[in-house]
Amino acid sequence: MKFTVLTLFPEIPRAYFENSIMAKAVEKGIIAYDLVNIRDFALDKHKKCDDAPYGGGAGQLMMTEPLSRALDSVNARRKRVIYVTPGGVPFTQKKAKELSCEDELIFICGRYEGIDQRIIDYYVDDEVSIGDYVMSSGELAATVMVDTIYRLVDGVISSESLVEESHSDGLLEYPQYTRPNVYKDMAVPEILLSGDHEKIRKWRLKKRLEKTLRYRPDMIWRARQNGLLSDEAEKMIEEITEQVHALKRAKRRKKAKKPEEKPADSGDL
């Protein structure tokens, strides 16, 4: 798979492509990349790539000509082009999986107030947002997407490492532990040291459900809608919910039984 990144600052994504697991994937030939400097396609000696927007308003906008020429240089009209923008559709694991099946992806890294709408209309296939916030660097946003996508390409990471990750099947991931067995008086759960794989499987499923119910209950609802929850998982959810309710009831009883504090003796006046 190939990632082509159009940017005004190629040194930002370059550091990512040249390190860690990505660098190994590139070395193996699983992943290829091309960093295209938009300034190389500017029309003046100063390499100007931004101008004031029509209609007024704050900030600058990336100019059409340099960006258009850069896109034409990589045959963008024949490939899938992604513009990372706060105004795009939310980026999800499902979207990452879909994009990982492409032979090549072209990313446009925005700057300033963004890019001319005509570039979007003519070249862009997907407008994608990595979150409900605004960044000054399209390079960082594009790199987040690249990192999420490339690890799903066959051969980059072992398939079993992806099976129970957060968001892989509608749930968050269970807690993980490694050596030492005891750290700051906190011990690794005994069941993980038992060697009983079935008990470990059930424990991990329950922990995934507990964490998802606590932090992302909306994911439980979607998992149900998509038929991703087994009968075993549904039964565990009932048990977890009852345990939570029982704990709340116990706290209320304890609070009700707590004697009222008497005012301090002020002594005789």
Side-chain angles (χ1 to χ4, degrees):
M1 182 179 191
K2 183 177 181 180
F3 295 99
T4 298
V5 182
L6 277 64
T7 167
L8 294 172
F9 301 95
E11 60 273 16
I12 296 176
R14 179 175 290 113
Y16 172 76
F17 281 103
E18 293 179 352
N19 286 280
S20 191
I21 299 174
M22 173 60 87
K24 294 178 181 177
V26 171
E27 184 179 349
K28 292 177 181 177
I30 303 171
I31 300 296
Y33 71 95
D34 185 16
L35 304 179
V36 179
N37 191 336
I38 300 169
R39 294 188 191 279
D40 292 340
F41 298 88
L43 301 175
D44 68 321
K45 65 179 181 179
H46 300 294
K47 303 295 183 181
K48 184 177 176 61
C49 290
D50 64 291
D51 207 339
Y54 283 121
Q60 299 283 293
L61 205 64
M62 289 179 69
M63 297 168 62
T64 57
E65 289 92 343
L67 184 51
S68 177
R69 294 173 67 191
L71 286 161
D72 288 342
S73 75
V74 295
N75 296 316
R77 290 277 288 174
R78 297 183 179 181
K79 299 167 185 175
R80 191 159 183 177
V81 179
I82 299 169
Y83 173 44
V84 187
T85 167
V89 298
F91 184 51
T92 63
Q93 190 73 14
K94 181 179 179 181
K95 186 70 172 179
K97 183 63 178 176
E98 173 198 330
L99 294 174
S100 71
C101 298
E102 296 284 340
D103 292 329
E104 181 175 356
L105 295 173
I106 296 176
F107 286 87
I108 300 175
C109 299
R111 280 275 169 170
Y112 318 119
E113 294 300 312
I115 67 177
D116 192 296
Q117 182 64 39
R118 291 167 294 182
I119 292 290
I120 297 173
D121 294 341
Y122 191 75
Y123 291 100
V124 173
D125 298 297
D126 302 88
E127 293 181 75
V128 183
S129 169
I130 64 168
D132 294 338
Y133 47 85
V134 179
M135 303 175 67
S136 61
S137 171
E139 289 77 18
L140 294 180
T143 301
V144 167
M145 287 192 63
V146 170
D147 183 77
T148 308
I149 295 165
Y150 96 99
R151 61 195 305 280
L152 300 176
V153 175
D154 289 342
V156 174
I157 295 177
S158 65
S159 57
E160 45 182 47
S161 295
L162 303 173
V163 172
E164 294 181 329
E165 288 187 322
S166 294
H167 305 284
S168 61
D169 59 358
L171 300 175
L172 299 179
E173 191 173 8
Y174 50 78
Q176 301 269 23
Y177 300 86
T178 187
R179 292 182 178 85
N181 290 356
V182 179
Y183 170 72
K184 294 187 182 297
D185 296 328
M186 295 180 288
V188 173
E190 289 186 12
I191 196 166
L192 298 179
L193 308 175
S194 68
D196 190 322
H197 297 296
E198 179 59 14
K199 287 184 178 179
I200 291 173
R201 182 194 67 79
K202 290 183 177 181
W203 180 88
R204 285 176 168 170
L205 175 58
K206 186 174 182 179
K207 291 300 179 183
R208 298 185 75 197
L209 292 166
E210 287 177 346
K211 187 172 184 178
T212 309
L213 284 166
R214 181 177 181 183
Y215 293 113
R216 293 293 304 275
D218 58 301
M219 290 177 62
I220 295 291
W221 180 85
R222 283 199 297 272
R224 282 187 175 133
Q225 292 294 107
N226 295 324
L228 298 176
L229 293 181
S230 63
D231 292 340
E232 180 184 35
E234 291 286 8
K235 185 177 180 181
M236 285 184 179
I237 290 174
E238 290 181 10
E239 294 172 355
I240 294 166
T241 303
E242 177 54 36
Q243 289 171 1
V244 171
H245 289 164
L247 183 60
K248 288 181 178 179
R249 289 194 296 268
K251 285 184 177 180
R252 286 196 295 268
R253 286 195 296 268
K254 185 177 180 180
K255 185 176 181 180
K257 291 180 180 179
K258 186 177 181 181
E260 294 184 5
E261 292 185 5
K262 295 181 179 180
D265 187 0
S266 59
D268 296 332
L269 296 178

